[in-house]
């Protein structure tokens, strides 16, 4: 069945973990007294970039800034749809300076950047499905930002409420498997969402690939798919098997060092949709 899955070329924006560290705690995964192996983190990150390029994807990079240890998590910087950039306004004051550096990169690359008025953390909570935007709220991005996003892009925005602080961003609980019109589908962990949000997802995606708690805790849902190849944490064994059964090709990439800051593959990857 994997032969019927068609990969689509992607353009990604990333940021080298040159200054990566856990210096504060803004989610349940972060413990400043736990040592981060910066060399290992850099090796893991380079393996991810190598995997993207080996599968034909384009990778651009923004220069990391000293004093911003979470800048490596490029996904939180913006959401880009149809070549339009909706920027970020971070919930945590420690991360707010990151926005300027990413805005500068996008503008230099020829994009206009919309500055949000409400707290909004980019692709961390805003997931483009090819039809509409799935938008997380509950811990970071606000519902006011959801309304801003809909007005800016002119695409329907579907608000989903996150209820488990371990899955504080939507991209820790859900990812898009295929954003084509024909094969549009997602994978998610149901218990990360409120009862009403679970019903919405079940109605929209009756054939979704459901993850277990162990998969979610391994950051298996912080994955990136090109429609065929799924770049996924190898520790998410059950989800990896389920995806293979559906005809996807799992590409294991271990970013375990970044889990100490509550991040993974998707967190490190901003997609530029022109």
């Amino acid at each position: 069945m994997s032969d019927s899955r068609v990969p689509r070329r992607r353009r990604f924006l990333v940021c080298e973990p040159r200054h990566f560290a856990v210096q504060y705690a803004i989610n349940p995964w972060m413990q400043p007294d736990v040592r981060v192996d910066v060399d290992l983190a850099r090796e893991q990150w380079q393996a991810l970039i190598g995997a993207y390029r080996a599968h034909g994807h384009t990778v651009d990079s923004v220069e990391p800034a000293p004093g911003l240890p979470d800048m490596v998590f490029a996904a939180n910087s913006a959401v880009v749809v149809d070549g339009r950039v909706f920027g970020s306004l971070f919930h945590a004051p420690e991360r707010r300076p990151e926005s300027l550096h990413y805005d500068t990169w996008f503008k230099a690359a020829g994009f206009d950047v919309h500055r949000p008025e409400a707290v909004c953390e980019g692709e961390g909570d805003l997931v483009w499905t090819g039809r509409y935007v799935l938008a997380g709220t509950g811990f970071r991005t606000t519902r006011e930002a959801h309304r801003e996003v809909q007005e800016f892009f002119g695409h329907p925005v579907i608000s989903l409420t996150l209820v488990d602080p371990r899955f504080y961003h939507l991209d820790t609980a859900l990812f898009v498997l295929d954003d084509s019109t024909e094969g549009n589908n997602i994978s998610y962990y149901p218990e990360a969402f409120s009862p009403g949000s679970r019903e919405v997802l079940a109605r929209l995606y009756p054939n979704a690939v459901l993850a277990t708690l162990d998969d979610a805790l391994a950051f298996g849902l912080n994955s990136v798919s090109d429609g065929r190849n799924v770049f996924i944490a190898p520790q998410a064994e059950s989800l990896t098997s389920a995806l293979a059964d559906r005809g996807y090709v799992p590409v294991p990439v271990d970013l375990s060092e970044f889990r100490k800051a509550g991040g993974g593959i998707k967190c490190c990857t901003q997609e530029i949709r022109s």
Side-chain angles (χ1 to χ4, degrees), residues 48-224:
L48 175 64
I49 305 312
Y52 284 153
R53 288 179 170 149
H55 286 81
H57 304 303
T58 300
V59 182
D60 294 308
S61 185
V62 62
E63 182 70 13
L68 297 177
D70 282 341
M71 196 172 162
V72 64
F73 299 128
N76 305 151
S77 66
V79 59
V80 186
V81 179
D82 298 331
R84 306 185 71 198
V85 181
F86 190 97
S88 61
L89 176 60
F90 286 94
H91 179 269
E94 294 91 341
R95 296 199 65 186
R96 290 193 172 181
E98 296 176 29
S99 299
L100 174 62
H101 297 279
Y102 280 99
D103 289 357
T104 299
W105 186 92
F106 277 114
K107 291 174 182 177
F111 296 90
D112 291 327
V113 180
H114 174 82
R115 299 294 319 134
E117 296 179 6
V119 170
C120 179
E121 300 202 353
E123 286 189 326
D125 277 321
L126 302 168
V127 177
W128 173 243
T129 69
R131 297 178 180 176
Y132 30 69
V133 178
L134 298 179
T137 191
F139 299 103
R140 300 291 183 84
T141 300
T142 65
R143 287 187 181 272
E144 288 76 15
H146 295 182
R147 288 190 282 271
E148 277 191 74
V149 168
Q150 181 164 281
E151 288 301 311
F152 179 72
F153 287 122
H155 289 296
V157 172
I158 298 171
S159 295
L160 302 169
T161 301
L162 297 163
V163 295
D164 188 327
R166 294 173 296 182
F167 311 116
Y168 59 93
H169 269 157
L170 185 60
D171 72 359
T172 65
L174 175 154
F175 75 100
V176 174
L177 284 165
D178 189 344
D179 61 9
S180 69
T181 303
E182 300 80 13
N184 190 263
N185 203 7
I186 66 170
S187 177
Y188 68 101
Y189 172 56
E191 284 72 21
F193 298 91
S194 68
S197 296
R198 290 200 296 270
E199 288 190 28
V200 168
L201 288 170
R203 290 176 187 275
L204 291 176
Y205 297 100
N207 297 315
V209 179
L210 302 184
T212 67
L213 175 59
D214 286 343
D215 292 326
L217 292 174
F219 273 57
L221 292 161
N222 197 243
S223 295
V224 171

Side-chain angles (χ1 to χ4, degrees), residues 7-58:
R8 300 175 66 190
R9 293 286 179 89
R10 310 287 181 164
R11 182 185 180 188
F12 299 131
L13 179 63
V14 299
C15 181
E16 179 191 349
R18 192 181 308 161
H19 308 293
F20 176 60
V22 179
Q23 297 176 347
Y24 44 77
I26 58 174
N27 66 57
W29 299 87
M30 302 179 84
Q31 300 180 35
D33 58 339
V34 174
R35 177 181 171 273
V36 171
D37 187 332
V38 178
D39 290 336
L40 176 57
R42 189 171 299 171
E43 289 177 11
Q44 292 181 339
W45 181 84
Q46 289 172 340
L48 175 64
I49 305 312
Y52 284 153
R53 288 179 170 149
H55 286 81
H57 304 303
T58 300

